[in-house]
């Protein structure tokens, strides 16, 4: 069953096209991993889907409503985990949840119960009376998630919920997301960490420059690039990499230079490795070579010619 | 009334706000009288300045919500922007009305000569609302709380001096006297004079009317920005 549908949505900021005729269906019970580099349009897509931002063309249907998809009735069934930490630092964790639960119309004992439940769910059961300014980054992120859970949304939209946190908290959040799905929540999860998507998503949607460039299961997407070979070469001087000459070697599909590493994608079994290494060695000096099995990062690289994350971010 | 309840709670949640909202107004009650000017005790002249500061401190909570992205989160919740804003403003209004009551009737109990305390209370309430509305419009221009606050502080200084709360307007050159009319502090000053010397109730109503006009105009301006 489709619970949200985006059809031909176009959004511009001035002359810049941010969403370029986006089509996306979200089915009940799935976790969609929305992957894309910074500036791909992920957050704008979420803001459009939730009615925060207007769009100039296209149609959005949520829970079967297309005339008024952002009605209060629909809003009660949607939860948003924002990219930034949008909690009140001056209120305790419990008060934060009471605030959001109250805004969603919960009252009395039911509100109290849901607040306790949400705190337990994100592992902050014993921190309810503490203010977030005493929390670690990971705990704040978990509280940020809990604020979107008290009203038990049917569709939970999570906009990069794990940015800048420790691996332990990240694992906790990923496990929580899986648990939510088991409880029947549909999740749209945006990130630029491909390992997160690989771990939790039942379907992956790849965005770049305002467009959805590919979607499918993790296996389907990896299969798509399995007919290719990838070699990563660490060089001493990346400025001297002969990119054009490498691209002219028979079988080479793409050459990407990132920092002091070049990634060369070739057709499967092209037998050009010797020639590639010789050429790179001559011009830029070789420090190391590695050949990888394809993963989502490679899918992304093949499709866009970009790394999913900037090196300094990773 | 969730937003209202938490707006009240958040207003008293840090020391700076506590000082502004409780200590400063109470201190006004105990300030002495001037020899010739102002006509009311100093505290009742300076309370106007405090109200301007309190207005921006309270309105800055809304700016903080916008800066942090809480407003975005609320845009997805089943609560309208109007509802969010009106509950916040209602909470701040309650605080301001209570302060005005404490300052005026605290002064009466302390034995200060306030001439017409009922009208003085009404004047302070009108000025408080105008001050809150101006602060709301002011923060709608900014994204960062600190910047908005800092520039507003400088502005308050100018408005207070030119409006005649520190120096009597009568001492200004003609040009400044004419310019002072557009400042809400001028009308507060006129209102304070009326409380001491005024006879015609219509004059007092006009003064309050101007302050309410400020309130309406600036609330409309300040309400337009949502996220």
């Amino acid at each position: 069953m489709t619970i949200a549908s985006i059809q031909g949505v176009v959004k511009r900021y001035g002359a810049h096209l941010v969403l370029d005729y986006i089509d996306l269906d979200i089915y009940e019970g799935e976790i969609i991993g929305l992957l894309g580099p910074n500036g791909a349009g992920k957050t704008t897509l979420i803001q459009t889907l939730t009615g925060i931002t207007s769009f100039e063309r296209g149609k959005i249907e949520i829970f079967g409503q297309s005339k008024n998809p952002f009605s209060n009735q629909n809003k009660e069934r949607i939860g948003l985990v924002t990219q930034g930490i949008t909690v009140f630092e001056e209120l305790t964790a419990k008060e934060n949840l009471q605030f959001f639960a109250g805004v969603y119309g919960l009252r009395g004992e039911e509100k109290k119960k849901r607040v306790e439940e949400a705190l337990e769910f994100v592992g902050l059961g014993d921190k309810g009376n503490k203010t977030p300014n005493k929390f670690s980054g990971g705990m704040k992120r978990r509280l940020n998630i809990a604020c979107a859970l008290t009203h038990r949304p049917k569709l939970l939209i999570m906009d990069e919920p794990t940015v800048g946190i420790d691996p332990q908290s990240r694992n906790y959040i990923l496990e929580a997301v899986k648990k939510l799905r088991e409880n029947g929540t549909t999740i749209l999860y945006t990130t630029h960490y491909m390992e997160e998507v690989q771990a939790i998503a039942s379907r992956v949607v790849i965005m770049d420059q305002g467009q959805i460039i590919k979607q499918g299961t993790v296996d389907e997407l990896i299969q798509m690039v399995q007919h290719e070979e990838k070699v990563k070469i660490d060089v001493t001087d990346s400025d001297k990499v002969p990119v054009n000459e490498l691209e002219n070697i028979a079988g080479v599909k793409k050459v990407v230079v990132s920092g002091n590493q070049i990634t060369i994608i070739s057709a499967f079994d092209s037998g050009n490795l010797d020639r590639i290494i010789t050429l790179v060695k001559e011009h830029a000096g070789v420090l190391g070579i590695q050949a990888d099995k394809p993963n989502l990062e490679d899918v992304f690289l093949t499709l866009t010619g970009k790394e999913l994350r900037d090196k300094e971010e990773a | 009334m969730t937003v209202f309840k938490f707006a009240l709670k958040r207003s008293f949640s840090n020391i700076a706000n506590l000082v502004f909202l409780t200590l400063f107004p109470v201190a006004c009650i105990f300030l002495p009288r001037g020899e010739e000017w102002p006509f009311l005790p100093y505290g009742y002249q300076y309370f106007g300045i405090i109200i301007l500061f309190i207005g921006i401190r309270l309105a800055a909570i809304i700016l903080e919500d916008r800066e942090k992205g809480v407003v975005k989160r609320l845009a997805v919740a089943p609560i309208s922007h109007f509802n969010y804003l009106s509950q916040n403003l209602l909470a701040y209004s309650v605080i301001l009305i209570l302060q005005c009551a404490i300052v005026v009737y605290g002064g009466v109990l302390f034995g200060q000569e306030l001439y017409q305390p009922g009208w003085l209370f009404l004047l302070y309430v009108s000025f408080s609302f105008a001050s809150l509305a101006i602060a709301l419009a002011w923060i709608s221009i900014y994204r960062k709380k600190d910047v908005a606050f800092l520039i507003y502080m400088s502005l308050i200084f100018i408005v207070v001096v030119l409006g005649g709360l520190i120096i009597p307007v009568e001492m200004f050159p003609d040009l400044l006297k004419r310019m002072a009319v557009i400042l809400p502090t001028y009308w507060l000053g006129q209102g304070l004079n009326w409380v001491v010397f005024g006879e015609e109730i219509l004059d007092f109503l006009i003064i309050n009317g101007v302050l309410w006009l400020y309130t309406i105009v600036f609330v409309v301006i300040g309400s337009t920005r949502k996220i």
Side-chain angles (χ1 to χ4, degrees), chain B residues 2 16-18 29 39 42 46 53 57 64 87 90 116 128 134 141 146 155 163 173-174 178 201 205 215 218 220 226:
Chain B
T2 303
N17 270 15
L18 270 176
I29 298 171
F39 307 115
Y42 281 115
Y46 298 152
F53 279 108
R57 284 213 76 89
E64 204 178 290
Q87 287 193 45
L90 184 64
Q116 305 183 71
S128 297
I134 293 166
I141 307 169
D146 296 343
L155 209 73
D174 281 350
R178 278 200 295 273
I201 191 79
L205 290 179
T215 306
F218 284 109
V220 170
K226 291 181 179 174

Side-chain angles (χ1 to χ4, degrees), chain B residues 20-214:
Chain B
F20 268 104
L21 298 180
T22 57
L23 212 62
F24 281 7
V26 170
C28 285
I29 298 171
F30 303 103
L31 293 186
R33 303 187 71 87
E35 284 183 12
E36 286 179 24
W37 188 90
F39 307 115
L40 286 170
Y42 281 115
Y44 292 83
Q45 189 82 2
Y46 298 152
F47 183 53
I49 305 171
I50 292 170
I51 288 173
L52 286 169
F53 279 108
I54 290 168
I56 188 73
R57 284 213 76 89
L58 293 174
I61 295 173
I62 295 172
L63 179 57
E64 204 178 290
D65 284 356
R66 201 158 57 221
E67 192 179 333
K68 278 187 180 171
V70 173
V71 177
K72 253 181 208 171
R73 187 165 219 159
L74 291 173
V76 182
I79 179 171
S80 65
H81 179 68
F82 174 78
N83 210 329
Y84 160 78
L85 201 64
S86 54
Q87 287 193 45
N88 268 304
L89 292 180
L90 184 64
Y92 306 152
S93 303
V94 168
I95 294 170
L96 288 165
I97 290 170
L98 279 175
Q99 281 184 332
C100 295
I102 289 168
V103 170
V104 173
Y105 294 104
V108 172
L109 285 176
F110 184 64
Q112 295 277 28
E113 173 62 89
L114 298 180
Y115 304 94
Q116 305 183 71
W119 292 124
L120 182 62
F121 170 70
L122 183 68
L123 176 70
Y124 280 146
V125 169
S126 299
F127 184 71
S128 297
F129 288 175
S131 156
L132 183 59
I134 293 166
L136 180 73
W138 182 256
I139 58 142
S140 72
I141 307 169
Y142 292 89
R143 270 198 177 277
K144 298 275 172 205
K145 184 182 155 187
D146 296 343
V147 181
F149 204 75
L150 219 66
I151 302 175
Y152 197 75
M153 294 281 212
S154 328
L155 209 73
I156 284 177
F157 180 73
I158 297 166
V159 167
V160 160
V161 173
L162 292 181
L165 285 187
I166 292 180
I167 308 161
V169 179
E170 289 70 28
M171 289 175 71
F172 293 162
D174 281 350
L175 179 69
L176 288 182
K177 263 186 216 169
R178 278 200 295 273
M179 276 173 62
V181 177
I182 60 162
L183 301 172
T185 38
Y186 169 83
W187 294 97
L188 174 69
Q190 294 303 303
L192 293 173
N193 289 347
W194 187 91
V195 168
V196 180
F197 305 111
E199 286 171 1
E200 283 295 321
I201 191 79
L202 185 66
D203 294 341
F204 187 69
L205 290 179
I206 288 170
I207 289 165
N208 279 273
V210 173
L211 291 172
W212 276 93
L213 198 66
Y214 275 114

Side-chain angles (χ1 to χ4, degrees), chain A residues 182-245:
Chain A
E182 283 163 20
N183 295 340
T185 310
T186 305
I187 295 151
L188 176 62
Y189 189 99
T190 83
T191 181
H192 53 204
Y193 296 113
M194 71 87 194
E195 60 274 19
E196 290 185 1
V197 166
Q198 218 152 356
I200 60 168
S202 49
R203 184 155 61 103
V204 181
V205 174
I206 299 177
M207 270 191 91
D208 190 31
Q209 293 180 342
Q211 293 179 320
I212 291 179
I213 50 175
K214 215 79 187 172
Q215 52 180 308
T217 64
V218 174
D219 288 342
E220 281 168 358
L221 292 173
I222 288 175
Q223 259 175 21
M224 211 179 66
V225 294
Q226 237 162 4
H227 53 280
E228 292 172 341
E229 286 173 348
K230 188 174 78 174
V231 181
K232 285 182 179 173
I233 306 174
D234 293 321
V235 295
T236 47
D237 190 352
S238 59
D239 291 336
K240 292 181 180 164
V241 173
V243 177
N244 290 337
E245 285 176 60

Side-chain angles (χ1 to χ4, degrees), chain A residues 47 50 52 72 75-76 80 86-91 95 99-100 102-104 107 144 147-148, chain B residues 1-3 5-6 9-10 13 61 64-65 68-70 72-79 227:
Chain A
Q47 291 186 351
T50 49
I52 295 175
N72 279 353
K75 283 178 170 181
E76 281 169 15
L80 174 69
T86 49
V87 298
F88 304 111
E89 296 276 338
E90 65 272 34
L91 300 179
E95 286 169 337
F99 175 84
F100 286 105
V103 163
Y104 278 88
R107 300 280 179 267
N144 198 38
C147 289
Chain B
M1 294 297 271
T2 303
V3 177
K5 184 180 139 193
F6 281 95
K9 201 168 224 174
R10 292 173 69 203
S13 63
I61 295 173
E64 204 178 290
D65 284 356
K68 278 187 180 171
V70 173
K72 253 181 208 171
R73 187 165 219 159
L74 291 173
V76 182
I79 179 171
I227 289 173

Side-chain angles (χ1 to χ4, degrees), chain A residues 88-288:
Chain A
F88 304 111
E89 296 276 338
E90 65 272 34
L91 300 179
T92 65
K94 204 178 263 182
E95 286 169 337
N96 266 285
L97 296 190
Q98 282 167 350
F99 175 84
F100 286 105
V103 163
Y104 278 88
L106 295 168
R107 300 280 179 267
E109 277 304 306
E110 183 64 12
K111 181 164 90 175
K112 207 174 156 191
K113 194 182 119 197
R114 299 276 189 96
V115 166
E116 295 296 336
E117 200 179 271
L119 277 174
E120 285 297 330
F121 186 79
V122 295
L124 295 174
D126 56 340
K127 303 278 188 296
N129 293 323
K130 292 210 159 53
T131 49
N133 51 21
K134 294 185 181 77
F135 285 2
S136 68
M139 284 158 76
K140 280 184 190 176
R141 284 267 163 209
R142 281 186 270 155
L143 177 62
N144 198 38
I145 293 172
C147 289
L149 297 180
T150 49
H151 63 291
R152 292 186 188 150
K154 289 256 171 233
L155 172 62
L156 181 64
I157 298 166
M158 306 179 87
D159 191 5
E160 307 204 11
T162 57
V163 172
I165 59 169
D166 57 286
Q168 204 183 350
S169 284
R170 172 171 296 161
N171 286 339
Y172 199 101
I173 289 171
L174 295 181
E175 285 308 313
V177 172
K178 282 191 216 170
K179 232 184 276 175
L180 282 168
R181 187 207 181 181
E182 283 163 20
N183 295 340
T185 310
T186 305
I187 295 151
L188 176 62
Y189 189 99
T190 83
T191 181
H192 53 204
Y193 296 113
M194 71 87 194
E195 60 274 19
E196 290 185 1
V197 166
Q198 218 152 356
I200 60 168
S202 49
R203 184 155 61 103
V204 181
V205 174
I206 299 177
M207 270 191 91
D208 190 31
Q209 293 180 342
Q211 293 179 320
I212 291 179
I213 50 175
K214 215 79 187 172
Q215 52 180 308
T217 64
V218 174
D219 288 342
E220 281 168 358
L221 292 173
I222 288 175
Q223 259 175 21
M224 211 179 66
V225 294
Q226 237 162 4
H227 53 280
E228 292 172 341
E229 286 173 348
K230 188 174 78 174
V231 181
K232 285 182 179 173
I233 306 174
D234 293 321
V235 295
T236 47
D237 190 352
S238 59
D239 291 336
K240 292 181 180 164
V241 173
V243 177
N244 290 337
E245 285 176 60
L246 285 169
E247 281 174 343
N248 288 333
I249 294 173
V252 170
K253 286 181 164 182
K254 195 163 275 180
V255 178
V256 179
V257 181
S258 177
N260 276 340
Q261 190 176 68
I262 50 173
T263 304
I264 299 161
I265 297 163
S266 300
F268 183 69
D269 213 16
S270 53
N272 56 12
L273 187 61
D274 192 35
R275 175 81 188 110
I276 288 170
I277 293 168
T278 310
L279 199 59
V280 175
K281 203 172 173 182
E282 262 177 36
H283 291 83
V286 174
L287 290 174

